[in-house]
Amino acid sequence: MMMANLQFFCLLVCSLAIIKTGCAKDNWVEKTIVKNAISKGAVCLDGSPPAYHFQSGFGEGVENWIVQLSGGGWCTNVTDCLDRTRSIYVGSTNIMGPWKFEGLFSINKSENPDFYNWNKVFVRYCDGGAFTGDVEYVDPATNLHFRGARIFEAVMDELLAKGLKNAKNALLAGTSAGGYPTMLYCDHFRSLLPKSKRVKCFADAGHFIHAKNPMQARGFEEVYNALVTLQGSTKALPKACTSKMNPVLCFFPENILQHIKTPIFTAMSAYDSFQVNKTLGQDIFSCIFSRTCTSSQNKTLREFRSEFLTTLPKPHNPKLKGVFIDSFVHHSAIQWRWTIQSGLVVNNVSAPEAFADWYFDRKYWYVIDEKVLPTIPK
């Protein structure tokens, strides 16, 4: 009986996020279905309502919020989208389970000293179009819905009512395919919180470039063209960009970052594993890990790095556009490597430290790893 009571007490304390070690080591958070989303037409690919995972802030963090848009690639045709509806991760909230909060979402103060006690929201990705689609028509043969832009608005409406509207400090973050909508909606997010002291954005591993000479079929341009034609994403794209160029090109950060007025931080590897594989091809991606790259392949990697760096915001005002670019081969650090002890260190500063300093206006970082060839993370 005593042991049962102890286990119950530990579970209760963990759920309230009062302690940061011990039973809180694996911090799994249940999903919350967005109320009234279906009536707004804000639904996932299969018509299920969108969902997020929420953990209340505590202590001095009760008035601070992180909202993260999750990633998970895209679907570029009907077959791909139907396949996603059967995934437990990216297509239907009917089959999604709890999510583990770690990295920037950790409640361990020693791992995440600046954000451990904030309100945290992890928005599930279930539209296949990077939260940008908006097509009214639903083909009865497939029952596929492309409503990502509506999902974003429905989630924001619910979070504002839940307390986000009273945030003292707020952060909109996004990973991988969630990185683009973080840029896209950054200024809009700021407008929703006019009374907040500090509102900024963070794009993690989402700076996919329009490579001039991709070795694999058109790189990301093929993906974004599908989002425009299949998902109806043009309506969500910034008019400052679409009025000047093909909407497909307005998915690329180099064409929209200059239009973002809200402070935004970009963290990415110059040799992001997803981007290298997608743009340069499997052969070069594989030779990195086997350490068998030829001089010609290394030349291609160096040229790609140089091209990538030219697309970043210039360091004239790091207060507005902060940057942390490492040379480790990885994709997305905000979850699995986003701790002070992560090992993602450039010029004696870690990625989490640089971002936190920048967010809280302690120091404005613009960090570029000088290594010209990729490094395998430990």
Side-chain angles (χ1 to χ4, degrees):
M1 180 66 71
M2 181 178 293
M3 180 59 70
N5 289 339
L6 181 61
Q7 290 173 338
F8 174 77
F9 176 75
C10 184
L11 179 62
L12 176 62
V13 172
C14 283
S15 67
L16 295 176
I18 295 174
I19 66 172
K20 321 301 181 299
T21 58
C23 58
K25 182 178 180 180
D26 291 327
N27 185 23
W28 292 90
V29 179
E30 294 294 334
K31 68 184 176 187
T32 298
I33 298 297
V34 180
K35 298 177 181 178
N36 303 318
I38 292 179
S39 64
K40 299 176 181 178
V43 294
C44 302
L45 284 167
D46 67 337
S48 59
Y52 58 88
H53 303 264
F54 172 70
Q55 191 162 62
S56 298
F58 55 96
E60 295 181 355
V62 294
E63 295 180 300
N64 301 328
W65 288 71
I66 299 174
V67 179
Q68 182 183 348
L69 305 178
S70 56
W74 311 266
C75 57
T76 58
N77 56 59
V78 169
T79 300
D80 288 346
C81 293
L82 286 173
D83 286 344
R84 287 173 78 93
T85 64
R86 295 182 282 272
S87 166
I88 63 173
Y89 298 110
V90 291
S92 173
T93 58
N94 288 335
I95 53 178
M96 290 178 180
W99 191 262
K100 185 178 180 180
F101 276 18
E102 54 188 336
L104 187 63
F105 276 45
S106 172
I107 57 173
N108 186 320
K109 185 176 182 179
S110 65
E111 292 181 352
N112 188 28
D114 288 290
F115 303 97
Y116 74 98
N117 57 1
W118 284 34
N119 294 284
K120 302 182 183 77
V121 181
F122 185 81
V123 184
R124 296 305 295 261
Y125 180 29
C126 67
D127 65 280
F131 296 91
T132 64
D134 191 2
V135 176
E136 185 67 32
Y137 174 74
V138 178
D139 187 343
T142 64
N143 194 42
L144 285 173
H145 298 70
F146 303 115
R147 307 281 181 79
R150 300 188 197 185
I151 288 175
F152 179 83
E153 293 297 341
V155 171
M156 288 301 112
D157 287 346
E158 182 156 312
L159 295 180
L160 289 168
K162 206 163 190 169
L164 175 62
K165 66 180 179 181
N166 299 316
K168 180 180 179 182
N169 297 295
L171 172 67
L172 177 65
T175 296
S176 190
Y180 174 78
T182 298
M183 299 179 231
L184 175 66
Y185 297 127
C186 185
D187 286 338
H188 177 49
F189 183 70
R190 163 76 269 189
S191 72
L192 296 174
L193 305 170
K195 297 180 181 179
S196 298
K197 174 184 177 182
R198 182 183 288 110
V199 179
K200 298 186 180 183
C201 302
F202 178 24
D204 166 49
H207 194 96
F208 304 128
I209 70 170
H210 188 214
K212 294 183 178 65
N213 296 299
M215 296 176 65
Q216 199 169 349
R218 293 188 296 280
F220 291 95
E221 187 172 354
E222 185 175 36
V223 171
Y224 297 152
N225 184 66
L227 297 192
V228 168
T229 57
L230 179 68
Q231 297 257 5
S233 297
T234 301
K235 289 182 285 185
L237 302 177
K239 290 182 175 59
C241 181
T242 57
S243 64
K244 299 177 181 178
M245 60 181 66
N246 186 321
V248 172
L249 298 179
C250 296
F251 278 95
F252 292 100
E254 61 260 40
N255 295 326
I256 63 166
L257 276 171
Q258 68 268 30
H259 300 299
I260 300 173
K261 298 179 175 61
T262 304
I264 185 168
F265 193 92
T266 299
M268 185 119 167
S269 169
Y271 298 107
D272 178 86
S273 56
F274 183 71
Q275 181 157 221
V276 167
N277 190 35
K278 178 70 177 173
T279 305
L280 302 184
Q282 181 65 41
D283 289 346
I284 289 184
F285 179 69
S286 298
C287 83
I288 295 171
F289 288 93
S290 62
R291 293 180 170 85
T292 58
C293 294
T294 64
S295 58
S296 176
Q297 288 172 323
N298 282 333
K299 181 175 182 292
T300 298
L301 286 165
R302 288 193 296 269
E303 290 174 347
F304 179 79
R305 173 185 178 273
S306 295
E307 184 176 1
F308 170 78
L309 295 181
T310 64
T311 68
L312 294 171
K314 301 301 181 283
H316 306 313
N317 188 0
K319 178 179 180 180
L320 182 62
K321 302 285 196 307
V323 162
F324 188 98
I325 305 299
D326 64 80
S327 293
F328 296 102
V329 184
H330 67 90
H331 181 59
S332 175
I334 197 171
Q335 286 285 117
W336 67 280
R337 293 183 71 87
W338 201 259
T339 66
I340 296 300
Q341 302 84 7
S342 68
L344 290 178
V345 177
V346 177
N347 299 338
N348 297 316
V349 62
S350 72
E353 290 172 316
F355 171 69
D357 281 349
W358 176 88
Y359 181 84
F360 289 103
D361 303 302
R362 298 189 294 240
K363 185 175 182 179
Y364 302 116
W365 290 96
Y366 191 98
V367 180
I368 304 290
D369 196 338
E370 294 179 358
K371 297 184 183 70
V372 297
L373 285 174
T375 302
I376 309 299
K378 296 179 180 179

